[in-house]
Amino acid sequence: MAKTALPELQAEEILYSGSLLAGVDEVGRGPLVGSVVAAAVILDPGQPIAGLMDSKKLSDKKRQALAVEIREKSLAWAIAEATAVEIDHLNILQASLLAMQRALDGLQPQAEFVLVDGKQLPPQLQQPALAVIQGDARHPAISAASIIAKVHRDQQLLDLHQQYPDYGFDRHKGYPTQAHMQALQLLGPLPEHRRSFKPVQKVMALLSTRPEPSAQD
């Protein structure tokens, strides 16, 4: 069932009227491989960017074009991540919040108010903030963050594809598709795979019980 779209976030809900408002979002919580990537963006009110929306609803070509425009026109932007090792150590939610905090820490100038996509705020956040459900579709600053984060992570997976072309990362971007699971079962997990994720654990358990080939094979 499709989600019911929530209305655009109104100014009176934000309780901040200055220019240093940052939107922050993350991408890559669902894939089995690689980092979770977050971005933070402070848009320039004097340079509006047309077409900002949830990055998942944009074509790759449009995301790429908007990502360039966001980086050129924003007052500040930053991209950060939490690695697969950190995800396995912390869990994916806490790693996502950590990546968001790192992105916010990377902004120059720093934000005075923060809009965070989702239900939870990073626990170390110092600025006043608001968690916004479906925020990437409800406020342009969060949309901008979702776009540059996705473009960045997609490029990471294309780079990983160059290293390991048999896994098909250029097609499924690390999500647990049938093709990805077949490659995992055939080739085994890479160092970049998230070993705390159940599909990877199942494959590792299966591989550990697979008999070693004999000298005659």
Side-chain angles (χ1 to χ4, degrees):
M1 180 181 293
K3 292 181 180 178
T4 301
L6 296 176
E8 183 177 337
L9 197 64
Q10 301 301 307
E12 56 267 24
E13 298 179 77
I14 297 174
L15 303 178
Y16 174 77
S17 58
S19 60
L20 296 180
L21 179 148
V24 62
D25 198 5
E26 51 72 29
V27 297
R29 286 179 63 163
L32 307 180
V33 69
S35 300
V36 59
V37 173
V41 175
I42 301 176
L43 294 173
D44 184 350
Q47 297 190 82
I49 300 171
L52 294 176
M53 63 176 67
D54 179 356
S55 64
K56 298 183 290 296
K57 296 183 178 180
L58 296 166
S59 68
D60 182 63
K61 182 178 180 181
K62 184 63 175 175
R63 275 196 303 268
Q64 295 277 353
L66 280 170
V68 172
E69 192 173 1
I70 291 163
R71 292 192 291 266
E72 289 177 348
K73 292 183 176 180
S74 297
L75 291 178
W77 62 272
I79 295 173
E81 61 187 67
T83 66
V85 172
E86 289 176 313
I87 291 168
D88 290 340
H89 178 68
L90 296 171
N91 75 44
I92 185 59
L93 172 59
Q94 295 305 317
S96 297
L97 295 173
L98 175 61
M100 287 182 175
Q101 184 66 59
R102 287 170 172 170
L104 287 165
D105 290 345
L107 290 174
Q108 290 296 333
Q110 284 283 290
E112 294 178 347
F113 192 92
V114 178
L115 297 176
V116 179
D117 183 66
K119 298 179 179 180
Q120 291 187 248
L121 300 174
Q124 303 303 317
L125 193 61
Q126 299 297 310
Q127 301 95 327
L130 179 66
V132 185
I133 296 172
Q134 297 180 29
D136 49 6
R138 299 177 63 200
H139 193 280
I142 305 177
S143 302
S146 77
I147 289 166
I148 63 170
K150 181 163 177 55
V151 168
H152 184 86
R153 190 178 191 281
D154 282 355
Q155 185 58 54
Q156 287 186 333
L157 270 291
L158 292 176
D159 293 342
L160 197 62
H161 174 71
Q162 294 299 313
Q163 292 180 261
Y164 309 104
D166 293 337
Y167 285 81
F169 295 127
D170 60 328
R171 299 188 302 276
H172 53 66
K173 301 298 190 296
Y175 284 90
T177 64
Q178 183 178 3
H180 190 182
M181 296 309 300
Q182 288 174 343
L184 259 177
Q185 292 170 22
L186 180 64
L187 303 169
L190 297 168
E192 292 83 357
H193 273 102
R194 301 171 181 178
R195 281 156 169 74
S196 58
F197 279 36
K198 287 184 179 179
V200 180
Q201 290 178 345
K202 288 180 179 179
V203 170
M204 293 175 65
L206 179 65
L207 293 176
S208 69
T209 61
R210 185 177 295 175
E212 293 289 334
S214 67
Q216 296 177 338
D217 290 343

